[in-house]
Amino acid sequence: MERERSTLELNESFSKRFVFKDGFGVELNRGAIHRSHRPASVVSSAGASSGVGKETAVALAARGARVVVACRDAGKAEKAVREIKLRSRSLAVVGMELDLASLRSVRRFCENFLRREERLDVLINNAAMPGVLDWTEDGFSMCLGVNHLGHFLLTNLLLGRLKECAPSRVVTLTCSSYKYQKLDLHDLNYNLLPFFTYCRSKLANVYFSHELGRLARGKGVTSFAVHPGLVRSEWTRHYSLLFRAAMRVLAWMLSASCEAGAQTVVYCAVSDEAARLGGGYFVDCRPATLRPFARDAGVAKKLWEASERLVQPP
């Protein structure tokens, strides 16, 4: 009980400098990763070199966490680590190579992480591949492989360490676009219309987070699914120059900063209030209601079982 309180205790020296507010004025100055003789480790998966992932890493490092920045591109990871250290005033930030489009890379990352790091208190599944019609090296659609299966395998390989370090949390980023599609469990590798492919992968994130929460109930691991909102990130880099220019104009008109988008992620990762709520789907630093079909526990269970079969070594 004492350890649980220390895990959620606010580090006052950092909270005075880093008080974040979302568009509704929610102050994130209540929770924090604890400091102890064995500092907490936070894995922010591929994508932490930019966008919401990087802003999340900055906020958590500033609160005293040891942050492991997992990134596909070693050069970008090194640059991101330097920036995160500078902005957070923390030296406890390291980079590790992880390509979620490769199950082999995911397994290698987990082996290295478990060998190097004693603790894992928060796992943040942050990477997001937009709707592109491409394939992973394992033969999965890029959206399914990166957005769902890569995170699914990553979480399962690290779940034992999360349980050892309980109370711990898993925060998986999804998107409100999940509501525009339904999963076809007989065609998970659907890869015809880019936007629909993306929507299905985001719905898979919701089901994954729900089933993880069910399976980990009573074992000290709390699972959150987070929609960070429409933010000005670098997702358009996968598209043409003309499309990027058009989206840049719209983004500045309609979207929020990556720092604002990271706030709900940080809230679910560290706040005592989120812990008391026991996980679930969060938007704007508060619980939100999913569409009825996205709350189907039977589909979530079947997707989990199908995902287990898909990520098994040949």
Side-chain angles (χ1 to χ4, degrees):
M1 199 65 185
E2 186 63 33
R3 181 177 179 278
E4 183 172 356
R5 285 196 296 270
S6 68
T7 301
L8 300 171
E9 181 183 355
L10 178 64
N11 186 302
E12 294 294 338
S13 63
F14 284 112
S15 67
K16 292 174 183 177
R17 291 202 301 267
F18 293 87
V19 177
F20 298 86
K21 292 186 178 181
D22 66 9
F24 295 88
V26 178
E27 294 192 359
L28 303 187
N29 61 353
R30 297 189 57 201
I33 301 295
H34 71 292
R35 284 172 173 262
S36 66
H37 63 288
R38 294 189 303 172
S41 286
V42 177
V43 173
S44 187
S45 64
S49 62
S50 63
V52 171
K54 183 165 66 176
E55 295 303 325
T56 300
V58 170
L60 294 173
R63 285 164 168 74
R66 174 174 170 79
V67 177
V68 178
V69 177
C71 184
R72 178 175 59 86
D73 188 306
K76 286 185 177 180
E78 184 178 348
K79 181 180 178 181
V81 166
R82 288 198 300 268
E83 181 183 342
I84 293 166
K85 285 181 177 180
L86 180 65
R87 292 175 57 195
S88 66
R89 303 183 187 183
S90 171
L91 295 177
V93 183
V94 297
M96 291 181 65
E97 183 179 347
L98 169 63
D99 181 3
L100 287 169
S102 166
L103 298 181
R104 178 178 54 184
S105 176
V106 175
R107 292 188 175 92
R108 183 167 59 246
F109 168 84
C110 292
E111 290 173 1
N112 292 335
F113 178 87
L114 293 172
R115 184 169 61 249
R116 290 169 47 174
E117 302 292 332
E118 292 185 6
R119 298 195 59 79
L120 178 57
D121 294 272
V122 182
L123 171 62
I124 299 178
N125 292 321
N126 174 78
M129 176 63 66
V132 294
L133 299 182
D134 204 352
W135 305 91
T136 71
E137 68 173 43
D138 302 289
F140 303 118
S141 72
M142 192 62 74
C143 279
L144 177 73
V146 173
N147 297 350
H148 172 60
L149 291 176
H151 287 135
F152 177 86
L153 180 60
L154 176 72
T155 304
N156 274 278
L157 292 177
L158 297 178
L159 192 55
R161 183 61 52 86
L162 284 162
K163 291 177 180 177
E164 291 173 6
C165 298
S168 55
R169 311 184 193 191
V170 178
V171 183
T172 302
L173 272 70
T174 182
C175 179
S176 61
S177 63
Y178 79 84
K179 59 191 174 187
Y180 299 121
Q181 282 285 289
K182 294 184 179 181
L183 279 187
D184 182 352
L185 292 171
H186 300 291
D187 186 20
L188 290 175
N189 226 13
Y190 172 90
N191 204 22
L192 295 178
L193 297 176
F195 180 66
F196 289 172
T197 301
Y198 175 76
C199 294
R200 292 186 184 199
S201 71
K202 294 290 96 180
L203 178 57
N205 291 152
V206 172
Y207 285 133
F208 159 74
S209 181
H210 180 279
E211 183 65 4
L212 175 63
R214 186 188 71 81
L215 293 173
R217 190 173 298 130
K219 299 176 183 177
V221 182
T222 306
S223 177
F224 299 88
V226 170
H227 169 47
L230 181 61
V231 297
R232 294 187 291 270
S233 63
E234 298 180 6
W235 65 272
T236 57
R237 68 182 183 273
H238 299 278
Y239 299 98
S240 69
L241 182 61
L242 181 61
F243 182 82
R244 292 202 301 270
M247 287 299 103
R248 185 179 293 273
V249 173
L250 288 174
W252 282 106
M253 293 171 55
L254 303 174
S255 61
S257 68
C258 290
E259 182 182 22
Q263 291 175 40
T264 306
V265 184
V266 177
Y267 174 79
C268 290
V270 303
S271 79
D272 51 355
E273 184 177 35
R276 286 197 298 270
L277 291 170
Y281 177 60
F282 280 70
V283 180
D284 293 322
C285 299
R286 54 177 63 91
T289 302
L290 290 162
R291 295 290 176 89
F293 68 86
R295 302 196 301 267
D296 191 321
V299 174
K301 184 175 185 295
K302 289 178 181 178
L303 175 63
W304 187 281
E305 294 169 348
S307 300
E308 284 182 324
R309 293 191 295 270
L310 291 172
V311 302
Q312 285 180 350

